[in-house]
Each structure stands twice: as C-alpha cells, then as structure tokens.
C-alpha cells in the first residue's frame, strides 16, 4: 500500500491475478481506478454525486458487447459511499486472459476488499474544504 494526503494505492492478489485500486483526491472529490489482470484498461465509468446518485457508462468491448466491470465497481461504491465527502468518479477495466471459473468467483470479493481499504483510508484522511468564490 502506498499513500500520502491526496493519493492512495492498494492491491490484492488471488487466484493468480492482481486487482489494484488507485485513489486520487482533488479538494473533496475523488477519482478511483479499479484495474488489473493481464490487460488493465478503462471500460466502465461510474459517477457518484454528492447526493449519492450514480450513473454508469459501459464502453464497447467487442462487437455486440460492452465492458462488464460494473460488477467490480458496485462493491467498491457500496463500501466508500459513507466515507465520501463530495463527488466520486470510478473508472474500471480488468481483463484476465482465458479466465477460469475460480478466477471469476474471486473478482467480486477482491473488489469488496479494495473498497473496504479505500473507505478506511478516506475515513482516516478526510479532505479539507477549500473556499470557493464565483465572479459576480
């Protein structure tokens, strides 16, 4: 695990592959990447606004299919929502070549662990509200 006041990185390895979470904070907002496997990429984006509302965009993965990483983002969001101070953007993409059933079963529990670690870090390292002014 690696962290400072505005960034945090953690990973978990099970069933022969690694999933990683990278968090970066700007003011009270956070950007989180959940990536890993043999081909890390960006396939699904989820936003969570400061009211807790979510939106998801799943990018095309191959003809007739979209990326399915929402199943990895959901346990992360569930874990971090109580710790969020404002908006969050989560980007995820993970591909394990020739994935086995055991590797598939491990993915959601791995994401849950990463979400819990992110939530713990957010609670231990709250952001600080910066005064914002607007032109008149």
């Amino acid at each position: 695990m690696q962290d400072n006041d505005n960034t945090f990185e953690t990973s978990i390895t099970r069933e022969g592959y690694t999933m990683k979470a990278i968090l970066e904070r700007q003011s009270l907002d956070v950007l989180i990447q959940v990536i890993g496997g043999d081909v890390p990429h960006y396939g699904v984006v989820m936003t969570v606004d400061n009211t807790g509302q979510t939106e998801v965009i799943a990018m095309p993965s191959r003809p007739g299919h979209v990326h399915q990483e929402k199943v990895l983002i959901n346990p992360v969001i569930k874990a971090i929502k109580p710790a969020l101070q404002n908006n969050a953007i989560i980007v995820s993409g993970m591909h394990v070549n020739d994935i086995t059933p055991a590797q598939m079963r491990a993915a959601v529990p791995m994401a849950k662990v990463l979400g819990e670690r992110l939530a713990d870090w957010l609670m231990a390292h709250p952001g600080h509200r910066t005064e914002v002014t607007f032109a008149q």
Side-chain angles (χ1 to χ4, degrees):
M1 287 188 240
Q2 175 183 2
D3 73 276
N4 66 39
D5 286 343
N6 292 310
T7 62
F8 175 66
E9 185 174 317
T10 184
S11 63
I12 184 169
T13 301
R14 292 190 182 156
E15 296 295 331
Y17 69 99
T18 300
M19 187 182 300
K20 178 170 36 174
I22 303 166
L23 178 148
E24 182 178 327
R25 181 184 10 244
Q26 299 296 333
S27 301
L28 297 180
D29 298 328
V30 294
L31 170 65
I32 298 169
Q33 298 177 60
V34 178
I35 54 175
D38 298 314
V39 186
H41 59 278
Y42 302 124
V44 174
V45 177
M46 179 181 283
T47 60
V48 183
D49 70 21
N50 59 12
T51 69
Q53 296 297 310
T54 62
E55 291 189 37
V56 177
I57 299 170
M59 307 300 278
S61 60
R62 58 182 190 230
H65 295 86
V66 295
H67 286 276
Q68 300 297 311
E69 285 86 1
K70 181 180 176 188
V71 299
L72 302 178
I73 293 175
N74 284 335
V76 172
I77 285 295
K78 183 176 180 182
I80 69 168
K81 258 188 180 180
L84 290 176
Q85 294 178 277
N86 206 39
N87 302 313
I89 300 168
I90 301 178
V91 183
S92 183
M94 199 177 85
H95 178 85
V96 176
N97 289 329
D98 301 314
I99 194 166
T100 67
Q103 289 173 318
M104 280 192 240
R105 285 190 300 275
V108 171
M110 290 167 71
K112 184 175 186 247
V113 168
L114 292 178
E116 291 165 353
R117 290 179 186 171
L118 292 169
D120 290 345
W121 186 88
L122 286 166
M123 296 297 283
H125 300 85
H128 304 286
R129 185 168 304 279
T130 302
E131 183 179 341
V132 177
T133 60
F134 298 94
Q136 300 206 3

